[in-house]
Amino acid sequence: EVVGDGGLSLSPDDEERWKQEIIRLLKDDSAREEYGKKGRARSEAFSWEKTASGIIFDLKSLEPILPLKLRGS
């Protein structure tokens, strides 16, 4: 899961739970601050450079099985 411990993962269909968590976070400064810290730390694991590198690596691993026409030959 992308969120990790840096946020909440709630069912989109559970309106009551969303309501409870929003109210809790509005009232609980320390919980908001903790989620903020953990969320920022978690976000450091992701970048466009890492994503692009991963995609390029995956695509290169497919090259041996691609037809010659798709390899640019």
Side-chain angles (χ1 to χ4, degrees):
E1 178 64 44
V2 173
V3 172
D5 66 351
L8 297 170
S9 183
L10 305 173
S11 168
D13 300 322
D14 193 345
E15 294 175 23
E16 186 59 32
R17 180 77 193 278
W18 276 94
K19 178 182 161 184
Q20 292 169 357
E21 291 299 330
I22 290 169
I23 291 169
R24 181 178 72 86
L25 290 171
L26 286 171
K27 292 179 178 179
D28 189 342
D29 294 341
S30 64
R32 273 196 324 274
E33 187 175 316
E34 189 67 21
Y35 277 125
K37 286 179 186 176
K38 289 180 178 181
R40 285 186 290 280
R42 179 78 175 128
S43 73
E44 292 176 9
F46 304 95
S47 72
W48 285 112
E49 291 81 13
K50 289 180 184 178
T51 300
S53 293
I55 291 171
I56 290 169
F57 178 83
D58 291 342
L59 291 174
K60 284 183 178 181
S61 72
L62 294 174
E63 187 175 21
I65 63 172
L66 290 176
L68 288 175
K69 185 176 181 181
L70 294 176
R71 290 187 211 172
S73 299

